[in-house]
Amino acid sequence: MRDRRGKYGLDEPWALGGLVLGAVLLLALAVISFDNDILAVAIAFLFGALYTLASAASQLYTTRRGKFAVWGEALRELTGEEKVLDLGCGRGAVLLLAAERLDHGTATGLDLWRRRSSEAVTRANAEAEGVSDLVELTTGDMRELPFDDESYDVVVSSLAVHHISKEDGRAAAIREAHRVLRPGGLLLIADQEHVPAYETVLRGLGVVDVHRRDLGWRYWHGGPWARTWMLRARKP
């Protein structure tokens, strides 16, 4: 995969900063323990520092490379003619990958545009990636989408639905994604939490072609305890 030209920021930057700070602190404690000849404690601190650094490296890799590689593979089945909707598109990491695979389709990004993921940044990223003519941006809540029924061929979402705090709100977002999909349309949702619940909602709507899989180490945000799952479904 080529290097991205847009500015996509860091996923959970405070968590990454905390890991780096924790690693530095543990390393300092290891040095102090070695200086005081407390060998067992020093080794424990050193191991903790290395483990925490590895977690930080994992999160940084996922943010900069891993998630783009995973989504690039997931979007390969696009033919180039689709209308694609990205729910909670943020700075456009997945939205613009989808747009790059389109010839005559469109890629619509929906977000509430909080300060860290402003619409202006996403537009600038679309320009940088050379797909601005294929991209549309809309302000809206994924629990109540401002689109007609069966408007899109593909609906995607990456690490967005779990930010809805209440279970009924997350279920509403999944139902809305299903509503705006055309028959035979593809739904791809990557998330770290609540994915089995999303699957349950879809099966309750009559979707039988639905599968859930672990996206592996390339989508870890620090380690296997922060893994990401992909839910893939086809609307009947």
Side-chain angles (χ1 to χ4, degrees), residues 158-170:
S158 179
L159 303 180
V161 179
H162 78 270
H163 287 298
I164 300 173
S165 59
K166 295 183 178 180
E167 181 179 358
D168 58 350
R170 294 190 295 270

Side-chain angles (χ1 to χ4, degrees), residues 16 22 39 55 83 94 102 129 135 141-142 159 163-164 170 175 203 205 231:
L16 180 60
L39 186 60
S55 296
K83 288 184 66 178
V94 177
L102 301 178
E129 303 291 0
V135 172
D141 190 324
M142 68 180 79
L159 303 180
H163 287 298
I164 300 173
R170 294 190 295 270
R175 287 193 295 269
R203 291 193 183 279
L205 292 169
L231 188 66

Side-chain angles (χ1 to χ4, degrees), residues 142 168-180 201-202 205:
M142 68 180 79
D168 58 350
R170 294 190 295 270
I174 300 302
R175 287 193 295 269
E176 281 289 274
H178 178 270
R179 178 183 67 79
V180 301
V201 173
L202 288 171
L205 292 169

